[in-house]
Amino acid sequence: MFRHVSRVAVAVAGAATFAAAGVLPATAAGHYDHRPPASHHQIHSAVVLGPIQYDSPGRDDRSNRSLNAEWVTLRNTSRWPVTIKGWTLSDKSGHAYRFGNVRLNGNSQVRVHTGIGRDTRTDVYQDRRVYVWDNDGDTATLRNDHRRIVDSKSWGRHGHWGHHF
């Protein structure tokens, strides 16, 4: 009986070694994940930055209408709801908007406007009287409630994006 048990144990151990060794040659042969490596400061999240309109259409007259035509979209790419209470959206100058009790349903989005308005499920307002996003070049950074970077997008002189994305 002990002889049979030890043969089974050797067979199981050998199979585990063989399976582990089968994974290593694929990595050594150059088969790797083609996605760019994530920044050590950025975490994987279903909530990402979507389209951004950093240059309000028309004349920049600082009217509430013009300010609210400057916006950033957050998208929940999963099927599950995500609460983003305490998350922040900031620019590279240090302007930051902290989200209140906002819940993004699965596969939904919310647009963050610069000006003053009444928050809804699809639109929230920073209640600012000045523009936030620099037309010549800026970075929108989304952080979770632990201050970890969730996503960021840049445009302009040092960015790589076009006018509106």
Side-chain angles (χ1 to χ4, degrees), residues 27-137:
T27 304
H31 300 285
Y32 56 90
D33 190 350
H34 293 282
R35 292 174 294 180
S39 162
H40 68 284
H41 295 291
Q42 188 166 339
I43 62 168
H44 178 73
S45 172
V47 179
V48 296
L49 294 172
I52 297 174
Q53 183 162 282
Y54 55 82
D55 186 7
S56 175
R59 209 173 68 123
D60 288 345
D61 59 6
R62 293 176 69 173
S63 68
N64 197 50
R65 180 178 181 167
S66 179
L67 289 166
N68 281 332
E70 180 182 82
W71 44 259
V72 175
T73 306
L74 272 63
R75 294 184 359 224
N76 179 0
T77 60
S78 78
R79 296 185 297 170
W80 312 106
V82 177
T83 300
I84 58 172
K85 182 178 183 177
W87 290 32
T88 58
L89 177 64
S90 61
D91 70 346
K92 66 181 181 183
S93 297
H95 301 102
Y97 172 73
R98 183 174 303 275
F99 290 89
N101 196 21
V102 175
R103 177 182 166 164
L104 285 173
N105 289 327
N107 296 309
S108 70
Q109 65 182 28
V110 65
R111 192 174 276 180
V112 182
H113 300 271
T114 299
I116 298 168
R118 174 179 247 163
D119 293 350
T120 67
R121 238 176 221 215
T122 57
D123 297 276
V124 295
Y125 298 84
Q126 296 187 50
D127 295 333
R128 295 183 184 276
R129 298 186 190 284
V130 294
Y131 298 98
V132 171
W133 309 108
D134 188 351
N135 299 348
D136 294 330

Side-chain angles (χ1 to χ4, degrees), residues 5-19:
V5 171
S6 65
R7 284 184 188 163
V8 171
V10 169
V12 169
T17 302
F18 180 74

